[in-house]
Amino acid sequence: MDLPRRFILLFFMVCCSPTVTAAQDPLETPLGQELLTLLTNEISGQMAFNNLVKLAGAPWVRDPAEFTSTFYETQQLYDLVQSYGIETVRLEKYDRDGTFTYPRTRGP
């Protein structure tokens, strides 16, 4: 019997033979599904990527209200840290004159 025929015969024997597979239960863990999903997303980097896109995904012109209160990115990071259960986070605010200038772009 030549090699290709042996390979084909072996292939069909493996594929067509009845197999006995034991049904396996998922590993037992004291962690809840919500926490396992959170860890999976964090380990894969998906949450980090989503946060990066949210904070630096594209440039935009700021809402004028941001100049008198808290910048968008600052508030997002504050909310994110609180969502992780860290209660000691706080925003530091300092007195300022309230004037900002954007860097000039090309043109007049």
Side-chain angles (χ1 to χ4, degrees):
M1 200 182 276
D2 61 342
L3 188 61
R5 285 187 180 176
R6 286 183 187 175
F7 176 74
I8 292 172
L9 180 62
L10 179 63
F11 176 78
F12 280 112
M13 286 175 56
V14 170
C15 290
C16 298
S17 67
T19 57
V20 178
T21 58
Q24 292 183 342
D25 292 330
L27 296 175
E28 291 186 27
T29 175
L31 304 176
Q33 185 59 46
E34 185 177 326
L35 181 58
L36 289 173
T37 302
L38 177 71
L39 289 172
T40 301
N41 288 338
E42 190 61 42
I43 291 169
S44 72
Q46 187 63 46
M47 290 176 69
F49 175 76
N50 291 346
N51 290 333
L52 179 66
V53 169
K54 187 186 321 182
L55 295 174
W60 65 86
V61 176
R62 293 193 182 276
D63 183 9
E66 286 187 77
F67 294 108
T68 58
S69 63
T70 305
F71 280 162
Y72 169 82
E73 298 88 350
T74 305
Q75 189 64 50
Q76 288 296 312
L77 286 172
Y78 177 80
D79 295 340
L80 179 67
V81 171
Q82 279 195 324
S83 75
Y84 285 134
I86 300 172
E87 298 175 2
T88 57
V89 64
R90 67 176 187 241
L91 293 176
E92 297 285 342
K93 297 188 178 190
Y94 300 97
D95 291 333
R96 58 190 168 122
D97 61 4
T99 60
F100 291 90
T101 53
Y102 276 108
R104 282 191 69 111
T105 58
R106 293 183 183 151

